[in-house]
Amino acid sequence: MPNDFELIVIGGGVNGCGIARDAAGRGLELAVIEQGDLASGTSSASTKLFHGGLRYLEYFEFRLVREALRERETLLRAMPHIAWPMRFVLPYHKAQRFDVTTPAARWLGRAMPWLRGRRPAWVIRLGLALYDSLAGRQFLPGTTRLDLSTAPEGGPLQDRYTKAFEYSDGWVDDARLVALNARDAAARGAAILTRHKLTAATHGPQGWTVTLDTETGSKTLTAKALVNAAGPWVAQVLSGPLASDTPGHIRLVRGSHILTRRLWDHDKAYFLQGTDGRICFAIPYEQDFTLIGTTDADHTDPDTPATCTEAERDYMLNFVNGYFKTQLTPADILHSYAGLRPLRDAGTGAAASATRDYELVLSDPETAPALHVFGGKITTYRKLAESAVDKLAAVFPALPEAWTAGVPLPGGDFEIGGAGALAEGLIADYPFLTPRWAQRLIRAYGTEARMILGDAQTAADLGEEFGATLTEAELRWMVTREYARTAEDALWRRSKLGLHMTEAERDAVAEWFAKSAPVEASQAA
Ligand code: FAD
């Protein structure tokens, strides 16, 4: 592998890998360096929505909402295996009061003081009409009304909720989105270096020299320019290794999620409004579960692992218990996770009110060019990457035009809604697959699922089966094509199969990694 690049991208999250894919496609020779696994930071801990952010309308964040809404369909088209449209049910009743200080609430309070914190249906409908109209939708259906006393979506809800609106957004497997961007960047020439931590960077007449800690020692690389896409660590990288005086205010806001057994049969999600101005999602997850979240809590140090606190857990339980008939207790929680939002914000006001928009800052373009990424949503990662690489034209003047809109990610070269037919085709050619197994493979790998199955005639041809239909052939794919190096990478990021396995099964995967992964990795393409 060469040690000299035009560009080094620090951070293997959605923004770093998105920028790498875009830049590699425009011909830049680059490396992504990631201190842990791909998506081991915030990009595997999100609510996993391609959404405009209905809540951000309360804060009049029209630029962000518009960009994100318009981007949803482009993204859904480019990855119909790992992302799909989802309908959201927003229940309401007349007596609901919202004790909030958002700009929209203050405006309503002044314009219509008689509402006294209530949100009549027409106000919610107006917000959703704005959401629909900002979106420029081509295939996502618009908002409709639901009579919860007759519609199946009313079944799980308490009887006082008789009315709801239903609107569209999208769902995405966030960690796989990162891995697929990294793969596509690599297919266009990028080097993807996981378990490589930036510890020092100096700049001389020849450009940047960066020092990396690796599992086996240290390594030095050079590049003309850097991208600092270190997410929650962006300010730390700025003031530490880069020793830059570029202002890097960042507010870390933790968000947690809890998982319970599946709470309803249909495939729609719920958008629940809290009286505190926050909202909470309850989403069908991984076939057997319901995903509930999230929270907004200030967090000081990116190196202190984010975990769901008892207070956050109880807050989310109370939230959903105010809506659903099933009353959940801590004993119903099967799993939880938390992540840090790296928000561009001075740190005043409620954490929930901090802007979710992003900012790109190019420092020292003439002498020591480095582009710093502050903030950013999963939903805006492709647009952010386009803008980031456009900005790098100041350093690399002959860069071609942006190209990623309309180009599918690996395995995503089929029509939206085509996953069912692909799964059926897979079963026809590999009759040993169960429908659930085939569907899972298509949802993870799309048209590339066939490359994992190869010429297998029986399940045994795929090697050891570890549980939850995970076979050695699939693990080999994750190692050789998707940079997985540990059982945790495979079970909690390249897949979520850890959720469906027993501890003994997970241990067997860890043993396989200890024994076979180094051999497989050495044969990686
Ligand atoms: P990260 O994913 O954190 O990547 C940065 C990477 O840099 C990390 O992997 C880290 O290990 C690496 N790094 C740091 N320092 C170094 C170093 N010195 N050397 C090498 N590597 C380094 N967005 C949406 O669009 N939809 C949602 O539903 C949504 N839900 C969210 C829910 C929660 C609770 C949170 C926290 C965020 C949510 N977001 C959502 C926002 C979105 O997840 C983040 O904005 C996005 O993942 C940030 O990606 P990133 O690449 O900037 O950061």
Side-chain angles (χ1 to χ4, degrees), residues 9-21 30 32 181 185 227 229-230 373 384:
V9 179
I10 306 154
V14 75
N15 287 326
C17 291
I19 291 169
R21 177 189 186 222
L30 68 98
V32 176
N181 271 278
V227 170
V373 177
L384 182 153

Side-chain angles (χ1 to χ4, degrees), residues 331-412:
D332 292 304
I333 296 174
L334 303 173
H335 183 71
S336 69
Y337 65 84
L340 299 177
R341 303 176 183 89
L343 304 181
R344 186 69 159 151
D345 183 81
T348 53
S353 70
T355 180
R356 266 52 175 173
D357 212 346
Y358 59 84
E359 191 180 352
L360 301 170
V361 177
L362 181 62
S363 59
D364 304 315
E366 307 291 329
T367 50
L371 182 73
H372 312 281
V373 177
F374 297 99
K377 305 277 300 166
I378 297 271
T379 315
T380 50
Y381 91 93
R382 195 197 64 81
K383 291 291 283 183
L384 182 153
E386 257 181 20
S387 309
V389 182
D390 285 348
K391 263 188 182 284
L392 288 171
V395 186
F396 305 103
L399 278 186
E401 295 284 292
W403 62 275
T404 54
V407 179
L409 284 171

Side-chain angles (χ1 to χ4, degrees), residues 1 17 20 30-33 38 181-183 185-186 190-194 483:
M1 195 201 76
C17 291
L30 68 98
V32 176
I33 55 167
L38 294 175
N181 271 278
R183 273 198 62 203
I192 308 292
L193 305 173
T194 60
Y483 311 96

